[in-house]
């Protein structure tokens, strides 16, 4: 083993996710394309552009003014809806924090971990931002922009110290949140601190990075001799023509985990951080802003020691490379001293030549570039390099700069790289990286039918996400579908607009993704209600595919087979289908088989996290409900069902007839031998009795114009013809141990919730066998409850047909294919699981997935481009001070919304409240029934709204009024309830008002105070 392939130190950190936006590149993928082509992404503009951006004309037209900057597209856009900001608050928020927040979300998704999971492993956030230029150039220079904004609100929206904490809050991350500020090295120091926190066990995963957004973006600089700014408008690191840098905007975030954990969790590993170090130059340099050789040498060597590597094995260094006449020679000297002149050829990288100096985001931009270079095994080119700076000796050492992208040789072992980042003030950071380890071969227990999950806050991003995923799979046909499905199931935060795609391979996946359409309704927090059908829905082969593929289902069927006195598995899944169908038609076989399949299917759904909040069964189905509810153990229930079925089979033949009439119209036409067996709908009943009596009844009803249909049954269930079963069956019931239900279910006997005393009473189950099934009433009880998914747990569609329309709150789904149709049970199960998730049911995808899948990098959330921007007023000075609690009716408020001002005498209370809400929320789209908190409201804004409403109406309101009255309509009602009668009377009686004023005018302030104390 060579030194380069030395044993791990245990300090390795894996880069498992990345996200970023850079000049000319709105994603990490496009950023890498930009790096490879070597093109410059610095934007050039005109003097008129600079003047329009707010630069003084005399300065913008100066001969030494350089109209260049690394522009970041879309800084004015922010998906405030996803993050719960009102338009007003979004326009106040520092664009750096907005963009970083979106990139943090994307980085988590890129790593395959869902933001807002809550309560999981602690995830830390370490981040740095530059000065808030938006505050200085836009908010403070726009009259009225800060009207109705309290100092605390402004602080929360603009203070860069809150960057990391804001990410932790909105992504629900529970590890340390640290905002890091060390000038140009901030983001690299943030990554170093995140690595240290992971090694110390303070968190199990960490986000780290930085952001710089200087506005206006079309603002260049006035070059002066000796400054850090380039005279040419180009950054030329290590080149003979280098004399300064050019600045730009950008953001980058990486997701980090200890390497051992990342390997164990089958994460997608982009590169490995072997070690890092941070120090400061101290005073051993020319000035506070100047770099120092000794400090840079020390930090590089310290990083090598931590990484445990020989510096001669490092073959690429992404330099700080600002292109200044002082900085480049110092950095080159330090690298030469720290890495030596001997060893593998070492290429120097210079990202700033392409996109400019990103200040607080510069380090993480260089890190992401280096990670991508290691991942793709490509040495990137250096833009603008022609001939070396005379003070840099490239001929006698191992360093070189490339002008074309080149394949990265191994040099005898794993490829290694380093990244440097140095800040004004002397804080230096250096990091050593290595290419990712080769993937470990693994065997995946694949599902034949995979479920790909897509969700978004609104329809537009949902459709965009489907298009992006389709394009990704078309360009990556080698993708493992189980990895894609697993990543989407565990690594995305479910939103209200959902689509689930079922597929068997990449081609079927792309075809299904192309057909995605917006859902008909939002996903809601829906519990699941199990509905168990009764006799008549059975068929040979029911659940065959589930028996072959689902361990839980198979185990319960096997358990039933071992207990029954006939071969259940042969009857359902083997032998002659025609002969088996004849056998299965006998009640003695039908009921145990149907009970076993429905119970096994219920246990499978529960294994997938879908524990029912309630249940209902139809006749035999109630035995399954009672078993799942814990009233009867499985073995006892199966014995009882089998005994009941044999007893019923021994009774004389009978018939059953479905009639489309209300029960009140059916009963008068029945004779003594026929009975109502079930009430399945408001105009749908089942009649049961001897065959001749039922045939005669059918003729009479048809002659009267009623719709009838004979059921395929051998006996007259739920009729007096079953009375002979009662005595022998009740003795079996009395031997069984019956318990109160642990899960509520609806009784067929009463049409209401089963009571504990009923569930444990053997006589109840006898009455249940003989009396009509009051299914329609039971369904009504379920539909009057909270929003739910009514899942038919058994073959066919009988119960869903009986339920009919369930209203907007409820969704009807089936668990097995229709017996009349040839269908793949595995495909049906996958589609149903997907539809359950679409509706909002709590599917546990960790139980659905097979072992061995890996997280993979997939397209991330397509944030909506909603513009939230305060345009500065040309030529204006600083805006007035931030508003306190008083009105600023003479100022133009944020986003141009109208101020409330004094309310007109004729203005209605509802209009008054709505105007205040619209003003302080920053949007006209507010209705009387809109919820304050769903609109993005928060406690500080709630306090201000209550204060303004109280001031405008003269009504005393508690500070927490919006928590009890969160809509304008409810707040209006609260105001009306709290109006003081005396005040109302005074307002209506001008003479009384005049007298009060006169009385008060004659009193001294002390006398007024005394009378107030006395309650006068």
């Amino acid at each position: 083993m060579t030194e380069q392939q030395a044993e791990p130190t245990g300090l390795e950190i894996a880069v498992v996710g990345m996200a970023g936006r850079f000049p000319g590149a709105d994603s990490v993928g496009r950023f890498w394309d930009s790096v490879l082509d070597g093109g410059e992404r610095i934007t050039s503009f005109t003097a008129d552009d600079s003047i329009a951006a707010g630069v003084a004309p005399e300065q913008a037209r100066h001969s030494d003014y350089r109209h260049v900057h690394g522009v970041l597209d879309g800084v004015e856009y922010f998906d405030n809806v996803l993050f719960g900001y009102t338009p007003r608050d979004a326009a106040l928020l520092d664009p750096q924090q907005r963009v970083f927040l979106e990139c943090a979300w994307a980085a988590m998704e890129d790593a395959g971990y869902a933001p807002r999971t809550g309560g999981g492993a602690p995830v830390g956030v370490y981040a740095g931002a530059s000065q808030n230029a938006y505050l200085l150039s836009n908010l403070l220079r726009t009259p009225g922009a800060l009207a109705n904004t309290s100092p605390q609100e402004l602080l929360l929206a603009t203070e860069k110290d809150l960057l990391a904490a804001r990410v932790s809050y909105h992504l629900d991350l529970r590890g340390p949140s640290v905002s890091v500020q060390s000038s140009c090295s901030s983001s690299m120091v943030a990554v170093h601190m995140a690595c240290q926190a992971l090694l110390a066990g303070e968190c199990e995963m960490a986000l780290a990075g930085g952001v710089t957004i200087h506005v206006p973006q079309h603002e260049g600089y006035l070059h002066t001799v000796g400054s850090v700014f380039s005279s040419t408008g180009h950054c030329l690191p290590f080149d003979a023509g280098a004399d300064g840098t050019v600045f730009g905007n950008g953001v980058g975030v990486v997701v980090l985990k200890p390497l051992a954990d990342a390997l164990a969790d089958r994460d997608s590993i982009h590169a490995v951080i072997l070690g890092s170090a941070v120090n400061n130059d101290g005073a051993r340099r020319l000035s506070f802003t100047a770099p120092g050789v000794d400090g840079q040498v020390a930090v590089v060597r310290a990083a090598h020691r931590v990484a445990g590597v020989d510096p001669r094995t490092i073959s690429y260094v992404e330099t700080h490379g600002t292109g200044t006449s002082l900085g480049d020679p110092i950095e080159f000297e330090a690298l030469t001293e720290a890495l030596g002149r001997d060893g593998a050829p070492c290429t120097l990288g210079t990202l700033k030549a392409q996109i400019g100096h990103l200040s607080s985001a510069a380090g993480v931009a260089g890190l992401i570039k280096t990670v991508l270079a290691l991942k793709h095994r490509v040495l990137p080119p250096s833009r603008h390099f022609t001939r070396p700076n005379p003070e840099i000796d490239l001929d006698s050492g191992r360093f070189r700069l490339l002008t074309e992208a080149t394949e990265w040789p191994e040099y005898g072992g794993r490829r290694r790289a380093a990244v440097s980042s140095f800040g004004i003030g002397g804080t230096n950071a250096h990091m050593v990286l290595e290419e990712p380890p080769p993937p470990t071969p693994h065997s995946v227990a694949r599902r034949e039918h995979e479920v790909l999950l897509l969700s978004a806050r609104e329809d537009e991003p949902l459709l965009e996400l489907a298009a992006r995923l389709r394009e990704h799979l078309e360009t990556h046909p080698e993708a493992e579908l189980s990895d894609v499905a697993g990543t989407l199931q565990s690594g995305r935060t479910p939103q209200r607009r959902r689509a689930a795609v079922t597929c068997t391979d990449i081609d079927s996946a792309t075809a299904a993704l192309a057909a995605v359409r917006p859902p008909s309704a939002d996903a809601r927090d829906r519990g699941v209600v199990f509905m168990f059908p009764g006799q008549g829905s059975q068929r040979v082969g029911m659940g065959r595919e589930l028996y072959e593929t689902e361990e839980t289902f198979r185990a319960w069927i096997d358990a039933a087979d071992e207990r029954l006195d006939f071969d259940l598995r042969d009857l359902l899944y083997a032998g002659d289908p025609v002969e088996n169908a004849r056998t299965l038609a006998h009640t003695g076989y039908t009921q145990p088989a149907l009970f076993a399949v429905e119970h096994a299917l219920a246990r499978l759904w529960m294994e997938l996290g879908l524990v029912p909040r309630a249940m209902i069964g139809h006749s035999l189905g109630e035995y399954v409900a009672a078993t799942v509810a814990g009233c009867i153990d499985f073995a006892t229930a199966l014995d009882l069902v089998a005994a009941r079925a044999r007893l019923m089979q021994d009774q004389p033949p009978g018939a059953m007839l479905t009639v489309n009439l209300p029960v009140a119209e059916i009963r008068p036409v029945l004779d003594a031998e026929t009975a109502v067996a079930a009430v399945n709908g408001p105009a749908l009943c089942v009649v049961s009795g001897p065959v001749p009596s039922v045939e005669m009844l059918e003729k009479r009803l048809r002659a009267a114009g009623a719709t009838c249909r004979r059921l395929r049954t051998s006996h007259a269930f739920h009729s007096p013809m079953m009375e002979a079963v009662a005595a022998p069956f009740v003795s079996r019931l009395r031997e069984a141990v019956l318990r109160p239900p642990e899960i509520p279910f609806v009784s067929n006997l009463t049409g209401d919730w089963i009571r504990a005393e009923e569930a444990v009473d053997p006589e109840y189950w006898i009455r249940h066998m003989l009396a009509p099934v009051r299914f329609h009433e039971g369904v009504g009880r379920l539909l009057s409850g909270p929003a739910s998914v009514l899942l038919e747990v058994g073959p066919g569609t009988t119960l869903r047909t009986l339920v009919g329309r369930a209203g907007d709150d409820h969704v009807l789904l089936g668990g097995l294919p229709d017996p009349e149709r040839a269908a793949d049970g595995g495909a049906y199960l996958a589609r149903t699981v997907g539809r359950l998730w679409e509706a909002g049911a709590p599917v546990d995808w960790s139980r659905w997935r097979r072992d061995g899948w890996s997280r993979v990098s997939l397209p991330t959330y397509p944030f909506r481009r909603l513009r939230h921007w305060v345009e500065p007023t040309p030529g204006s000075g600083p805006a007035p001070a931030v508003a306190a609690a008083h009105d600023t009716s003479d100022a133009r408020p944020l986003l141009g919304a109208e101020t409330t001002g004094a309310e007109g005498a004729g203005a209605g209370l509802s209009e008054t409240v709505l105007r205040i809400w619209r003003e302080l929320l920053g949007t006209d789209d507010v209705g009387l029934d809109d919820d304050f908190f769903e609109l993005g409201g928060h406690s500080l804004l709630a306090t201000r709204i209550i204060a303004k409403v109280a001031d405008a109406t003269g009504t005393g309101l508690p500070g927490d009024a919006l928590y009890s009255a969160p809509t304008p309509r409810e707040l209006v009602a609260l105001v009306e309830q709290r109006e003081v009668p005396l005040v109302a009377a005074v307002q209506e009686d001008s003479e009384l008002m005049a007298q009060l004023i006169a009385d008060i005018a004659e009193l001294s302030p002390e006398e007024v105070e005394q009378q107030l104390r006395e309650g006068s």
Side-chain angles (χ1 to χ4, degrees):
M1 179 179 291
T2 67
E3 191 281 332
Q4 190 168 351
Q5 296 168 317
E7 290 294 330
T9 64
L11 305 179
E12 296 85 359
I13 300 294
V15 180
V16 298
M18 298 183 292
R21 302 178 193 172
F22 308 96
D26 61 359
S27 68
V28 166
R30 290 190 173 92
F31 173 62
W32 178 240
D33 293 339
S34 175
V35 167
L36 288 183
D37 70 26
E40 185 181 49
R41 299 297 183 263
I42 304 296
T43 300
S44 297
F45 36 91
T46 67
D48 290 339
D49 292 331
S50 295
I51 294 170
V55 178
E58 61 274 13
Q59 186 177 38
R61 301 192 188 282
H62 194 284
S63 59
D64 290 327
Y65 196 87
R66 303 292 177 262
H67 302 281
V68 292
H69 194 258
V71 171
L72 185 64
D73 292 336
V75 298
E76 67 273 29
Y77 299 122
F78 177 53
D79 195 341
N80 67 300
V81 177
L82 178 66
F83 293 102
Y85 281 85
T86 68
R88 172 185 175 275
D89 287 342
L92 281 176
L93 187 59
D94 182 0
Q96 296 181 119
Q97 301 207 27
R98 302 185 214 164
V99 174
F100 191 88
L101 185 56
E102 290 185 344
C103 282
W105 180 292
M108 284 282 287
E109 288 194 339
D110 182 67
Y113 289 90
R116 296 180 182 168
T117 52
V123 179
V125 182
Y126 296 81
S130 293
Q131 183 184 48
N132 187 347
Y134 179 71
L135 170 65
L136 300 176
S137 66
N138 292 50
L139 297 183
L140 293 179
R141 292 188 175 275
T142 303
L146 301 178
N148 301 310
T149 301
S150 69
Q152 189 175 9
E153 285 180 297
L154 184 65
L155 176 69
L156 291 175
T158 60
E159 176 54 62
K160 65 182 178 180
D161 285 357
L162 301 177
L163 174 62
R166 190 179 306 278
V167 171
S168 293
Y169 172 74
H170 286 292
L171 273 61
D172 193 16
L173 308 179
R174 312 295 177 86
S177 298
V178 182
S179 292
V180 181
Q181 302 303 149
S182 61
S183 188
C184 310
S185 60
S186 294
S187 58
M188 184 62 75
V189 173
V191 176
H192 166 80
M193 293 179 67
C195 292
Q196 297 302 305
L198 290 168
L199 295 174
E202 295 177 349
C203 52
E204 296 182 22
M205 188 161 62
L207 282 76
V211 57
T212 290
I213 296 178
H214 174 84
V215 291
Q217 294 203 86
H218 286 179
E219 179 181 57
Y221 58 87
L222 187 65
H223 174 262
T224 57
V225 177
S227 73
V228 297
F229 292 107
S230 166
S231 64
T232 63
H234 300 285
C235 184
L236 312 172
F238 306 109
D239 192 84
D243 67 349
T245 196
V246 176
F247 286 86
N249 292 337
V251 56
V253 184
V254 294
V255 182
L256 309 173
K257 284 182 71 173
L259 177 60
D261 293 345
L263 291 170
D265 295 339
R266 308 197 67 86
D267 292 324
S268 181
I269 300 173
H270 304 295
V272 178
I273 298 173
L274 299 178
S276 61
V278 170
N279 71 359
N280 192 276
D281 291 323
R284 297 187 64 183
R285 48 197 166 123
L286 293 177
S287 67
F288 176 71
T289 60
V293 173
D294 293 344
Q296 292 184 20
V297 171
V299 79
V300 173
R301 287 177 171 169
H304 293 165
R305 288 194 299 272
V306 172
V309 301
D310 183 337
R312 294 174 296 178
T313 63
I314 295 172
S315 53
Y316 177 80
V317 176
E318 178 61 32
T319 65
H320 187 63
T322 57
T324 60
S325 55
L326 178 63
D328 284 0
I330 287 177
E331 183 171 10
F332 187 85
E333 180 183 349
L335 287 173
T336 301
E337 186 173 342
L339 272 71
R341 294 181 176 274
D342 300 326
C346 186
T347 300
L348 302 182
T350 58
L351 182 59
K352 292 178 180 63
Q354 288 184 277
I355 63 173
H357 192 334
L358 304 190
S359 300
S360 291
V364 73
L367 174 65
I368 290 174
K369 172 188 173 183
T370 305
V371 168
L372 292 168
L374 284 165
K375 181 179 179 179
H376 294 285
R377 300 179 177 181
V378 172
L379 292 169
S382 294
R383 175 70 175 172
H384 293 315
F385 183 75
T386 54
R387 54 191 178 89
N389 186 314
E391 298 185 41
I392 293 174
D393 183 8
L394 284 177
D395 295 329
S396 60
R398 50 189 292 240
F399 298 112
R400 60 179 181 172
L401 285 95
L402 301 175
T403 56
E404 299 290 338
T406 304
E407 183 181 350
W408 193 334
E410 288 190 13
Y411 298 122
R414 288 185 180 173
R415 297 163 183 83
R416 285 182 180 159
V419 184
S420 291
S421 186
F422 310 132
I424 289 179
T427 298
N428 307 308
H430 190 76
M431 192 163 288
V432 180
L433 297 93
E434 188 172 82
E435 66 181 317
T440 304
H442 64 285
S443 175
V444 183
R446 297 175 178 83
R447 283 188 174 276
E448 182 180 356
H449 303 277
E450 290 290 356
V451 184
L452 309 184
L453 306 183
L454 305 171
S455 74
R457 178 76 180 180
E458 296 164 288
D459 287 340
E460 182 181 334
L462 176 68
L463 298 178
E464 174 64 21
L465 188 58
R468 290 186 184 183
L469 183 60
R470 183 181 74 250
E471 181 181 357
H472 175 86
L473 295 179
E474 287 173 346
T475 55
H476 296 84
E478 78 287 354
E480 180 60 61
L481 197 58
S482 60
D483 294 343
V484 174
T487 301
L488 293 173
Q489 291 161 8
S490 69
R492 299 295 184 266
T493 302
Q495 306 290 335
R496 67 185 185 185
R497 307 296 288 169
R498 301 184 184 181
V501 168
T502 305
C503 51
T504 57
D505 53 28
I506 296 297
D507 288 341
S508 64
T510 56
L513 288 166
V516 167
R517 297 294 180 267
S520 58
D522 285 354
R524 296 176 56 182
D525 184 12
R526 287 185 170 92
V528 178
V529 172
F530 284 176
M531 301 192 302
F532 299 103
Q535 190 167 345
S537 59
Q538 71 278 355
R539 68 178 175 90
V540 172
M542 55 183 173
R544 181 195 306 275
E545 295 84 0
L546 301 185
Y547 183 81
E548 294 171 351
T549 60
E550 301 296 332
E551 182 178 345
T552 298
F553 185 89
R554 181 168 56 252
W556 285 105
I557 293 295
D558 289 347
D561 183 82
E562 292 174 7
R563 194 160 187 89
L564 292 170
D565 59 3
F566 64 90
D567 195 324
L568 175 65
R569 292 173 294 194
D570 279 356
L571 177 63
L572 292 179
Y573 308 135
D576 180 10
V578 176
E579 180 61 31
N580 284 358
R582 282 196 289 267
T583 302
L584 190 60
H586 290 271
T587 296
Y589 295 104
T590 302
Q591 293 188 7
L594 195 57
F595 174 90
V597 169
E598 290 182 8
H599 179 267
L601 186 57
R603 295 300 179 183
L604 174 59
W605 287 122
M606 294 170 75
E607 176 68 19
L608 296 174
L610 297 163
V611 177
R613 70 163 185 83
M615 295 178 288
I616 188 171
H618 196 289
S619 189
L620 170 69
E622 189 164 326
Y623 279 81
V624 189
T627 305
V628 173
C631 297
I632 321 173
D633 66 72
F634 170 71
T636 301
L638 187 60
D639 290 346
L640 288 173
V641 167
R644 178 179 181 265
R646 286 193 297 269
L647 290 168
M648 288 180 168
Q649 181 66 47
D650 291 341
Q651 303 311 304
M656 301 182 77
L657 179 72
T658 295
V659 184
N660 287 76
L661 287 174
V663 66
E665 297 181 25
I666 287 293
R667 283 202 168 103
V669 300
L670 299 180
D671 60 24
E673 294 184 306
T674 53
V676 174
V679 180
N680 290 330
L684 182 64
C685 299
V686 177
V687 175
S688 185
V691 174
S693 297
V694 171
E695 287 178 344
M696 290 179 60
L697 176 65
E698 182 179 5
K699 290 179 181 178
R700 294 204 312 271
L701 290 172
R702 288 186 184 278
T707 302
C708 306
R709 180 174 61 86
R710 286 282 293 273
L711 297 181
R712 290 181 296 177
T713 60
S714 57
H715 292 75
F717 303 117
H718 294 278
S719 79
M721 294 188 72
M722 292 291 114
E723 289 178 353
V725 176
F729 188 51
V730 77
S731 64
R732 296 293 300 267
L733 286 165
R734 287 170 180 157
E735 295 172 358
V737 176
L738 304 178
R739 306 177 186 85
E742 298 173 5
I743 301 173
F745 63 90
V746 175
S747 163
N748 285 174
L749 190 60
T750 66
D752 206 341
W753 298 111
I754 188 83
R755 300 195 306 272
E757 58 269 26
E758 291 174 327
V760 300
D761 182 4
E763 295 296 334
Y764 168 84
W765 295 101
I766 297 300
R767 295 195 302 275
H768 173 273
M769 180 179 64
L770 299 175
V773 176
R774 298 168 67 175
F775 185 76
H776 176 61
E777 292 177 67
V779 168
R781 174 63 65 189
L782 292 172
L783 296 182
S784 66
S788 57
V789 178
L790 277 62
L791 180 65
E792 187 163 0
V793 184
T797 63
T798 300
L799 299 190
R800 279 171 286 161
T801 301
L802 295 181
V803 172
R805 287 187 53 81
D808 295 336
D809 289 342
H810 306 284
V811 176
L812 289 169
L813 293 176
L816 281 178
D818 187 335
E820 303 300 324
R821 301 178 183 176
D824 185 334
Y828 193 89
L829 179 72
R831 286 195 297 272
T832 303
V833 171
R835 293 182 65 190
L836 280 159
W837 177 82
E838 287 178 338
V843 178
D844 186 342
W845 292 104
S846 66
R847 300 183 186 183
W848 168 263
R849 291 189 297 272
R850 304 298 196 195
D851 293 334
W853 68 279
S854 301
R855 289 180 175 84
V856 291
S857 182
L858 296 172
T860 56
Y861 192 85
F863 302 106
R864 285 196 66 191
R865 302 294 81 192
L866 303 171
R867 194 174 193 275
H868 300 288
W869 200 254
V870 175
E871 291 288 357
T873 302
S876 65
V882 177
H886 58 275
D887 287 340
T888 54
S889 56
D890 59 335
R892 179 166 58 87
L894 187 65
L895 302 181
E898 294 182 2
T899 55
T900 303
E903 301 299 336
L909 181 56
S910 295
E911 288 78 4
T912 297
V913 170
L914 280 173
R915 279 199 294 273
I916 292 171
W917 279 51
R918 289 165 180 166
E919 172 191 335
L920 294 183
L921 288 167
T923 176
D924 291 333
D925 190 17
V926 178
L928 282 171
D929 295 311
D930 286 335
D931 187 283
F932 173 76
F933 298 99
E934 290 181 1
L935 292 172
H938 51 79
S939 58
L940 289 176
L941 192 57
T943 302
R944 295 186 60 75
I945 284 181
I946 293 302
K948 294 206 72 172
V949 170
D951 185 53
T953 62
T955 304
L957 292 172
D960 61 352
L962 279 181
Y963 290 90
S964 59
T967 69
R969 190 185 304 278
E970 291 170 318
L971 189 59
V972 167
L974 184 62
V975 170
E976 290 174 339
Q977 292 170 8
R978 297 177 66 91
E979 282 183 336
V980 181
L982 176 61
V983 172
V986 167
Q987 290 173 339
E988 293 174 2
D989 193 332
S990 59
E991 292 184 4
L992 179 58
M993 176 68 78
Q995 182 60 50
L996 284 173
I997 294 172
D999 290 343
I1000 293 173
E1002 296 175 358
L1003 299 176
S1004 68
E1006 292 77 11
E1007 290 173 318
V1008 172
E1009 185 176 351
Q1010 177 65 28
Q1011 291 203 15
L1012 288 173
R1013 282 199 299 268
E1014 295 173 355
S1016 300

